[in-house]
Amino acid sequence: MGIITAILNKDIAGFTPITWILLAMVFYIYFVISMLARILATSVGKAAKG
């Protein structure tokens, strides 16, 4: 979304292109951390059982 708004030089919902890019990075980092936490919790759970 940030790249498209930067190419078109438009603001969508009052957000500038850099805001969209920063929001995308925050959500991407959140996604990666949540996946790592889920993997860690699963591996710890398996280690405790076995």
Side-chain angles (χ1 to χ4, degrees):
M1 188 70 153
I3 294 171
I4 294 170
T5 57
I7 290 170
L8 298 175
N9 197 19
K10 299 282 184 183
D11 291 351
I12 297 177
F15 294 122
T16 60
I18 191 68
T19 307
W20 286 109
I21 292 170
L22 290 173
L23 282 170
M25 284 194 291
V26 167
F27 284 116
Y28 180 75
I29 291 170
Y30 171 75
F31 174 75
V32 169
I33 289 173
S34 67
M35 285 291 121
L36 290 174
R38 185 176 298 226
I39 291 168
L40 180 65
T42 304
S43 65
V44 167
K46 286 182 180 178
K49 290 180 184 177

